[in-house]
Amino acid sequence: MPHSVSLINTIAAGLGLALVFGFLAAKLRLPALVGYLLAGVIIGPFTPGFVADAEIAAQLAEIGVMLLMFGVGLHFSLDDLLAVRKIALPGAIAQIGVATLLGGGLALWWGWSPGAALVFGLALSVASTVVLLRALESLGILDSFTGRIAVGWLVVEDLAMVLVLVLLPPLAGTLGGKSEHAGPADPLWQTLGLTLLQVGGFVALMLVVGRRVFPWILWQVTRTGSRELFTLCVVAAAVSIAFASAALFGVSFALGAFFAGMVMRESQFAHRAAQESLPLRDAFAVLFFVSVGMLFDPSVLIERPLQVLAVVLVIVLGKSLAACALVLVFRYPLGTALTVSASLAQIGEFSFILAGLGVSLGLLPVEGQSLVLAGALISIATNPLWFSLIGPMQKWLHARSSFARGLESRDDPLAELPMTTEAKYLSRQVVLVGYGRVGRRIAAELDAHDIPYVVAEQNRELVEKLREAGTPAVWGDAADPAVLIQAHIARARVLVVATPDAMNVRQMMETARTLNPTIQTVIRSHNEQEARLLTQETSATVFLGEHELAQAMARDVVQRAVSMAVPA
């Protein structure tokens, strides 16, 4: 077959098999990502039958990396990260350190070099953002405070890995790998200084110039009214900025694409940009995972089963236990700790990128890359199981362990209302669960009408700020009866659930009705079927986002049409 059609062969085989195996994985209630990786294994050089062009697959994977990182940057919210910074930042850094030590310790025990141990440990330390987001979405907790902690944690990990990808090539020679430059090696301080100067120059250019220029370009393209030009502008920005960053500043494609997404987020068309580029990002992301699967040698499962098991234990147990302990140290509930632990019990795209870079730089042995891929396949495949065990494990620990019950005890000063709280707040008040975008607007209306209220919120930092401002607030998950008791639900006249977390609403309602049978309840929902069930089961007033928006728009349209009508 002519060489000129190898690109078509690779794309056709990769996407076709990815569809088949992705569909089978979804039917088995596994992440579709497992199917994509298996598709790559099938067309890879280590299995019999058709073998795709590895060089072309690698270039397609590079485009996939660019678009994946562009998507991460496009959804990166500095405000969301700052809201959970006191736990996400130190927690993620400490967890990366623990996982790197565990993975690096294994590598040194196996006789690998210190450079290989460092790369291997780092590759095992970072979880997959793609897998995490899809898991949280399927559970309906992406917008909950626990979900925001997990996402913020992963954002910090991603930023740390971007920095590692930037620093690893110039440091490869020092670590025992292939140096980027021929000739005598430069001093370490000089290498680090030059690299950080290049990266700093690129970041400054993107933040100062890029955040003004690229939104302006996007606006000019939007004015043409052409949808295909808009999509082309978004994709061209992602790929061209990533390429230019590597050519001019010597930084990675990943960092360039990440900042392309960040500056594009500054535009008012950021949401549309994300939507328009999503199909192409998904398609190339699939090809990226397929190309990664092509690098996996299944024989490692037979030849090195104990090493594979050790890698999986580091990912699933080592990382997760470290994360769980860190969350509990910050005095968050056991349920939050278990959810964050399950979120991190896998590795993904950054691990693949880092392992591939380590091999190309001569730092990581090829079998190390195979072990990373084996750990990724197994950990991603088993990740839904760990999420499903959170509830039963929490109940079992509560029933069997006084220590676990003590972790949920309300000994935190933020979990109780101060004794100085005015009496008016503790009688006929409104209990407002959640102080996000919706909760803030409700609170503003209550303030405007001088109606007392108590906020129940899971964000510790936010509770501290509310108390400093003189607003009564109690910290904790309102599904826990102790939180509603501290908010004096027994004396309240209305319970307002302004958080989109519908999983625990029924438990909140049951607690509220038990302690206060006459209380009125108002609930927020985003799902029409869920809203209908809540109305039937709880007799609460349920506001459905899309329904209320449609009604408000319809009223406005009718009023405008009537006011403009010309009498006969």
Side-chain angles (χ1 to χ4, degrees):
M1 185 170 291
H3 179 73
S4 58
V5 298
S6 59
L7 172 63
I8 300 175
N9 292 341
T10 303
I11 293 177
L15 292 180
L17 283 176
L19 173 63
V20 173
F21 284 97
F23 175 78
L24 292 176
K27 283 293 185 181
L28 295 173
R29 298 185 180 276
L30 297 174
L33 181 57
V34 175
Y36 306 154
L37 292 169
L38 289 176
V41 174
I42 297 298
I43 63 174
F46 302 104
T47 53
F50 172 78
V51 177
D53 190 314
E55 291 186 5
I56 288 179
Q59 293 187 41
L60 292 173
E62 287 286 4
I63 299 176
V65 170
M66 294 181 200
L67 295 178
L68 271 173
M69 292 309 302
F70 175 73
V72 172
L74 199 58
H75 291 94
F76 175 72
S77 172
L78 188 60
D79 291 337
D80 288 346
L81 178 59
L82 290 176
V84 295
R85 67 188 183 282
K86 291 186 178 179
I87 179 174
L89 186 59
I93 292 174
Q95 179 258 304
I96 289 174
V98 171
T100 301
L101 287 175
L102 290 173
L106 277 179
L108 292 174
W109 186 34
W110 296 333
W112 295 3
S113 68
L118 177 63
V119 173
F120 188 69
L122 287 170
L124 301 187
S125 70
V126 57
S128 167
T129 307
V130 175
V131 174
L132 170 70
L133 292 177
R134 292 178 181 176
L136 295 180
E137 284 176 350
S138 65
L139 293 172
I141 60 174
L142 181 59
D143 292 327
S144 68
F145 184 65
T146 299
R148 289 197 294 272
I149 289 178
V151 172
W153 196 297
L154 261 291
V155 168
V156 175
E157 285 192 352
D158 288 351
L159 291 176
M161 289 304 111
V162 167
L163 184 61
V164 169
L165 292 176
V166 170
L167 294 177
L168 195 58
L171 294 177
T174 305
L175 295 172
K178 302 174 185 176
S179 178
E180 280 192 320
H181 308 289
D186 295 327
L188 178 60
W189 67 267
Q190 185 176 335
T191 301
L192 279 175
L194 180 61
T195 301
L196 293 176
L197 185 63
Q198 288 178 308
V199 174
F202 169 71
V203 170
L205 181 66
M206 292 299 294
L207 294 180
V208 175
V209 179
R211 68 190 308 175
R212 292 176 173 83
V213 172
F214 289 106
W216 179 82
I217 294 175
L218 199 61
W219 165 244
Q220 298 304 317
V221 172
T222 303
R223 293 176 63 183
T224 66
S226 172
R227 179 175 178 177
E228 57 268 26
L229 278 178
F230 182 87
T231 305
L232 179 60
C233 179
V234 172
V235 176
V239 177
S240 60
I241 292 175
F243 177 77
S245 65
L248 300 178
F249 294 91
V251 302
S252 66
F253 288 139
L255 182 64
F258 175 77
F259 273 94
M262 279 192 66
V263 298
M264 198 69 75
R265 182 181 172 84
E266 299 296 322
S267 169
Q268 58 181 314
F269 303 104
H271 181 71
R272 181 183 171 189
Q275 291 297 112
E276 296 287 350
S277 62
L278 184 60
L280 194 60
R281 281 191 286 130
D282 283 347
F284 275 97
V286 169
L287 290 174
F288 165 70
F289 290 117
V290 169
S291 69
V292 169
M294 291 175 62
L295 301 174
F296 176 59
D297 185 358
S299 64
V300 73
L301 298 174
I302 300 173
E303 297 173 359
R304 304 172 183 269
L306 294 180
Q307 289 183 329
V308 171
L309 178 61
V311 168
V312 172
L313 289 177
V314 168
I315 297 169
V316 174
L317 286 182
K319 276 178 36 175
S320 299
L321 290 176
C324 183
L326 288 166
V327 174
L328 292 175
V329 165
F330 283 93
R331 305 181 77 172
Y332 280 88
L334 180 61
T336 299
L338 293 175
T339 301
V340 173
S341 298
S343 301
L344 301 175
Q346 39 81 15
I347 58 175
E349 53 273 8
F350 265 115
S351 303
F352 306 149
I353 298 170
L354 188 57
L357 181 62
V359 171
S360 68
L361 293 173
L363 289 171
L364 187 68
V366 176
E367 60 265 28
Q369 186 177 37
S370 294
L371 288 171
V372 169
L373 294 173
L377 278 168
I378 296 172
S379 64
I380 291 172
T382 57
N383 196 236
L385 173 63
W386 311 131
F387 275 103
S388 67
L389 291 177
I390 292 175
M393 184 179 297
Q394 192 172 1
K395 292 179 181 177
W396 184 83
L397 288 173
H398 271 255
R400 302 291 182 90
S401 171
S402 59
F403 176 72
R405 290 191 296 272
L407 293 175
E408 299 283 6
S409 63
R410 316 309 300 172
D411 60 348
D412 193 302
L414 294 180
E416 299 180 2
L417 284 177
M419 296 299 294
T420 56
T421 301
E422 297 180 26
K424 70 172 185 176
Y425 287 107
L426 306 182
S427 178
R428 309 301 292 165
Q429 81 280 11
V430 173
V431 175
L432 177 59
V433 178
Y435 200 75
R437 287 173 295 182
V438 175
R440 286 189 180 92
R441 287 170 170 79
I442 296 173
E445 285 295 317
L446 294 174
D447 283 328
H449 292 83
D450 198 27
I451 299 174
Y453 62 92
V454 176
V455 175
E457 170 61 51
Q458 294 187 68
N459 188 330
R460 288 177 56 89
E461 292 77 19
L462 191 53
V463 171
E464 290 176 356
K465 290 180 180 178
L466 286 170
R467 290 192 175 185
E468 289 172 1
T471 300
V474 59
W475 169 74
D477 185 354
D480 181 356
V483 175
L484 290 180
I485 290 172
Q486 280 298 325
H488 292 262
I489 194 70
R491 301 181 183 181
R493 51 181 164 181
V494 183
L495 170 66
V496 182
V497 182
T499 173
D501 184 5
M503 294 183 64
N504 298 321
V505 167
R506 290 172 178 81
Q507 193 170 345
M508 297 178 200
M509 306 295 291
E510 182 180 348
T511 301
R513 293 270 167 80
T514 301
L515 298 174
N516 188 345
T518 63
I519 194 169
Q520 300 181 49
T521 52
V522 180
I523 302 173
R524 168 193 176 191
S525 177
H526 284 304
N527 185 292
E528 188 171 353
Q529 182 179 3
E530 183 70 22
R532 190 182 307 113
L533 290 174
L534 286 171
T535 303
Q536 294 172 353
E537 296 175 7
T538 64
S539 302
T541 302
V542 181
F543 286 88
L544 183 64
E546 292 79 1
H547 177 70
E548 300 304 321
L549 175 62
Q551 281 194 329
M553 292 179 68
R555 285 194 298 268
D556 184 74
V557 170
V558 170
Q559 289 175 1
R560 292 175 185 272
V562 170
S563 64
M564 295 176 64
V566 179

